[in-house]
Amino acid sequence: MADHWVKLELDINSFDPTHFEKYVTRCRAEGIRLATLDELGDTPEHRRALYELNKECSADIPERGEFHSFEKYVELRFEAASYDPRGVVIAMDGDTWIGMAATSSHGDFVFNEMTGVRAGYRGRGISIAMKTFGMGFARESEAGRVRTFHHPANTNAIAMNRRMGFVDSEG
Ligand SMILES: CC(C)(COP(=O)(O)OP(=O)(O)OC[C@H]1O[C@@H](n2cnc3c(N)ncnc32)[C@H](O)[C@@H]1OP(=O)(O)O)[C@@H](O)C(=O)NCCC(=O)NCCS
């Protein structure tokens, strides 16, 4: 595993969604629907679907290793005090879940748990659309920042976040 994570953060108040709404608009024009897990229903079936999507996308994270079992994922993600289904954005093509941007709530910051887009849908701005859509949740919480960290070899994810204005974190 990496011993030098790339830690990034975004000041929520300085994020201007008007620069990024075009990604949301383009997704919708291409028939990609965005919704939170809260809006879709935080059901056992949807939790399982989120797990499968997360597992598939995580296979492309450098040195990610074997993914959690479903039971462990439930414990880490859904049973954590920081979990809030309003912070989990899903992108859908028809009934097929093709992307996720999951955040969790930690008082003065929101943490990016996982952003992933299925391989056949990458390079179309879907990750930025999901994260822009999810910024509504971050704004409504008391958080001032969104934080994330990445393996240094995960250049796509780092570029995606820098594209949105994330900068190197001090902490
Ligand atoms: C990282 C990931 C979510 C990006 O999703 P995506 O929908 O393809 O990304 P977008 O099309 O929205 O691109 C957003 C920005 O990221 C950067 N980017 C994304 N893919 C890139 C690539 N292959 N090469 C260079 N830059 C890239 C660009 O800056 C791009 O903005 P631009 O097109 O305006 O220049 C996707 O590659 C993925 O699911 N990877 C596997 C899972 C992962 O590593 N997740 C991150 C860890 S939590």
Side-chain angles (χ1 to χ4, degrees), residues 13-84:
N13 292 321
S14 69
F15 177 77
D16 182 358
T18 56
H19 292 309
F20 297 98
E21 284 298 342
K22 65 183 177 207
Y23 288 89
V24 176
T25 305
R26 194 169 71 199
C27 262
R28 289 187 172 135
E30 292 178 356
I32 305 295
R33 189 160 67 96
L34 303 175
T36 68
L37 192 58
D38 187 53
E39 291 165 339
L40 293 172
D42 185 9
T43 63
E45 293 75 19
H46 286 161
R47 288 183 172 197
R48 184 81 205 193
L50 188 69
Y51 168 75
E52 297 295 346
L53 180 60
N54 197 148
K55 184 177 178 180
E56 178 179 326
C57 294
S58 287
D60 293 330
I61 297 176
E63 293 186 58
R64 173 60 185 77
E66 194 176 337
F67 199 65
H68 308 296
S69 67
F70 179 61
E71 291 70 26
K72 188 70 183 172
Y73 188 80
V74 168
E75 182 190 322
L76 291 174
R77 292 289 174 82
F78 300 119
E79 291 175 353
S82 56
Y83 170 65
D84 189 325

Side-chain angles (χ1 to χ4, degrees), residues 23 57-58 60-62 112-118 121-129 148-150 154-157 159-161 163:
Y23 288 89
C57 294
S58 287
D60 293 330
I61 297 176
N112 266 349
E113 296 280 353
M114 171 67 186
T115 306
V117 174
R118 294 182 75 184
Y121 288 85
R122 291 181 190 160
R124 292 167 50 177
I126 294 172
S127 71
I128 291 190
T148 188
F149 64 88
H150 292 294
N154 200 345
T155 51
N156 295 349
M160 163 191 74
N161 284 310
R163 178 82 183 81

Side-chain angles (χ1 to χ4, degrees), residues 5-9 145 147-149 167-171:
W5 296 99
V6 175
K7 297 179 181 173
L8 302 172
E9 65 178 40
R145 293 170 299 158
R147 303 181 72 178
T148 188
F149 64 88
V167 295
D168 292 301
S169 168
E170 304 278 304

